[in-house]
Amino acid sequence: ETGVTQTPRHLVMGMTNKKSLKCEQHLGHNAMYWYKQSAKKPLELMFVYSLEERVENNSVPSRFSPECPNSSHLFLHLHTLQPEDSALYLCASSQEPGGGENTGELFFGEGSRLTVL
Amino acid sequence: GDSVTQMEGPVTLSEEAFLTINCTYTATGYPSLFWYVQYPGEGLQLLLKATKADDKGSNKGFEATYRKETTSFHLEKGSVQVSDSAVYFCALSDQMNSGYSTLTFGKGTMLLVSP
């Protein structure tokens, strides 16, 4: 139990569907992240929210739309996805600024496994 | 930009064997270094970390020493167990940004331990 909960754990969707991934953190952190994990590729940072404001968007296609309504919740809204978007989507949180013993440490959820048909 | 290179897997060992997974990095400044582990069907968990040169991180019998002169952070364990089978990720933290952490990950190394 890492304190970061992701739902659903598995999702299968067609290319014309609209779905959302949800992440909730119970750690009192003030920054939240979406990462994409594809086979044989390094983890890709997609979005970062710090104090509920989006601070980074790494050239992610507009078919992925994040939302952070408060410091504990993060969503990833999905629409008109492509088969190559099939991957494990990981949510993470951290307490910032870090410094000292907390420097750079992220706490990850178990991920949402997405399959696009 | 920052990058992390770790050895290709899978690494296959028998129980109680010695483990080394190599990791080297390139970065500007003085990053913090991490090893994360991902067990089957789960997310990433922090295994150990080191925040400055010559620091040694350790946890669950695993160790890694921050070597600035060789830009390395190799992961070692003296005697692996079947339960250590997982994917191990080396990562560094970019300290250039304020307000959030930018982690650069290696591609991961799968470890398979047989009884």
Side-chain angles (χ1 to χ4, degrees):
Chain A
E1 177 59 48
T2 65
V4 180
T5 304
Q6 290 187 241
T7 54
R9 294 291 309 278
H10 299 274
L11 177 64
V12 179
M13 59 187 289
M15 290 192 285
T16 58
N17 291 157
K18 290 185 179 180
K19 298 286 184 183
S20 296
L21 306 181
K22 178 183 175 182
C23 176
E24 181 175 2
Q25 58 97 359
H26 311 275
L27 301 169
H29 290 167
N30 57 11
M32 296 188 76
Y33 310 73
W34 279 117
Y35 278 85
K36 177 182 179 182
Q37 185 178 25
S38 304
K40 300 185 179 180
K41 294 176 68 175
L43 272 75
E44 302 172 55
L45 178 63
M46 300 176 71
F47 302 103
V48 182
Y49 277 81
S50 176
L51 299 173
E52 301 159 42
E53 289 191 17
R54 191 192 307 180
V55 295
E56 188 155 333
N57 175 349
N58 281 351
S59 302
V60 179
S62 60
R63 57 186 183 269
F64 295 91
S65 174
E67 178 189 3
C68 187
N70 55 60
S71 61
S72 299
H73 293 87
L74 183 66
F75 294 89
L76 187 63
H77 303 301
L78 316 169
H79 62 98
T80 60
L81 294 190
Q82 304 299 311
E84 60 265 29
D85 296 324
S86 299
L88 181 68
Y89 289 85
L90 292 165
C91 174
S93 69
S94 68
Q95 181 59 32
E96 303 297 336
E101 290 301 304
N102 292 325
T103 300
E105 181 175 350
L106 299 186
F107 293 76
F108 285 85
E110 294 184 324
S112 294
R113 172 72 61 187
L114 172 66
T115 303
V116 181
L117 301 177
Chain B
D2 297 346
S3 67
V4 174
T5 303
Q6 56 184 110
M7 57 193 295
E8 297 267 340
V11 173
T12 305
L13 296 173
S14 298
E15 206 164 24
E16 299 184 4
F18 184 85
L19 168 71
T20 300
I21 299 179
N22 290 337
C23 172
T24 57
Y25 67 90
T26 58
T28 55
Y30 303 95
S32 295
L33 301 175
F34 305 84
W35 278 101
Y36 280 82
V37 59
Q38 185 176 31
Y39 298 102
E42 298 184 13
L44 277 69
Q45 304 173 29
L46 179 67
L47 180 60
L48 54 84
K49 64 182 178 183
T51 59
K52 60 184 187 295
D54 299 325
D55 270 2
K56 177 185 285 188
S58 61
N59 186 27
K60 300 181 181 180
F62 291 89
E63 294 182 338
T65 301
Y66 189 159
R67 300 288 189 198
K68 184 171 180 292
E69 63 277 12
T70 55
T71 62
S72 65
F73 193 56
H74 304 322
L75 182 68
E76 297 182 336
K77 186 175 185 182
S79 176
V80 294
Q81 305 300 311
V82 173
S83 57
D84 293 327
S85 298
V87 181
Y88 292 81
F89 293 88
C90 186
L92 66 83
S93 177
D94 179 355
Q95 299 300 299
M96 299 295 289
N97 296 302
S98 61
Y100 62 99
S101 298
T102 301
L103 279 182
T104 300
F105 286 90
K107 290 185 177 182
T109 302
M110 179 178 287
L111 170 65
L112 299 171
V113 181
S114 56

